[in-house]
C-alpha cells in the first residue's frame, strides 16, 4: 500500500484577509518488504479555502495519470499549536485520516 505525505501551505493576503494556498502530496511505495521509493507527486492550488474556528476546508483539483480531472474536498482541523488532523471533507470511518505535526528547521 502506498504512503502519502501531505505538505499544505496557507497564505493570508491583502488587507481584506483573502486566503490562498497550495497542497502537495508526495507518495511513496515499495515492492514487498523492500525499501520505500518515491512514487510520484501531485497537488496544486487550494480552491475555495475557508477557515472557521480551528477548521480549514478547501478543494483540490488534480488529474491522475491517464485519467480525467477530479476535484476532491479536504479538511484540516487544528488539534494543537503545531498539530492537525488532515482528511477528506466527507470522511467516513473507513477513510484514513493523517495526523500532521509542523516541523521547523
Amino acid at each position: 500500500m502506498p504512503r502519502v505525505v501531505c505538505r499544505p501551505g496557507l497564505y493570508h493576503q491583502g488587507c481584506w484577509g483573502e486566503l490562498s494556498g497550495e497542497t502537495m502530496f508526495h507518495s511513496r511505495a515499495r515492492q514487498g518488504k523492500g525499501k520505500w521509493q518515491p512514487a510520484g507527486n501531485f497537488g496544486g492550488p487550494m480552491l475555495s479555502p475557508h477557515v472557521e474556528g480551528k477548521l480549514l476546508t478547501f478543494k483540490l483539483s488534480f488529474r491522475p495519470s491517464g485519467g480525467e480531472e477530479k476535484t476532491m474536498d479536504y479538511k484540516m482541523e487544528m488539534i494543537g499549536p503545531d498539530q492537525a488532523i488532515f482528511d477528506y471533507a466527507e470522511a467516513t470511518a473507513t477513510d484514513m485520516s493523517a495526523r500532521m505535526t509542523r516541523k521547523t528547521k
Side-chain angles (χ1 to χ4, degrees):
M1 176 185 220
R3 291 186 179 180
V4 176
V5 176
C6 173
R7 182 174 46 99
L10 184 63
Y11 313 102
H12 179 267
Q13 295 179 343
C15 60
W16 299 106
E18 298 172 15
L19 289 176
S20 65
E22 64 182 8
T23 302
M24 288 300 297
F25 295 91
H26 306 279
S27 61
R28 302 181 301 161
R30 69 177 173 182
Q31 298 290 331
K33 294 187 179 191
K35 289 181 129 184
W36 288 97
Q37 300 292 328
N41 302 325
F42 64 94
M46 290 180 182
L47 307 174
S48 307
H50 178 75
V51 175
E52 190 168 319
K54 295 181 178 185
L55 185 67
L56 164 67
T57 57
F58 62 94
K59 298 176 184 295
L60 183 65
S61 181
F62 63 95
R63 182 182 309 271
S65 58
E68 296 182 23
E69 187 167 327
K70 293 182 175 185
T71 301
M72 302 281 294
D73 295 345
Y74 293 95
K75 65 182 177 182
M76 188 169 71
E77 182 177 4
M78 297 302 296
I79 58 172
D82 293 319
Q83 292 188 333
I85 298 290
F86 184 82
D87 209 342
Y88 300 111
E90 300 296 325
T92 65
T94 59
D95 289 326
M96 294 173 35
S97 60
R99 178 180 225 120
M100 300 171 56
T101 302
R102 178 174 55 174
K103 304 243 183 207
T104 57
K105 294 182 179 184

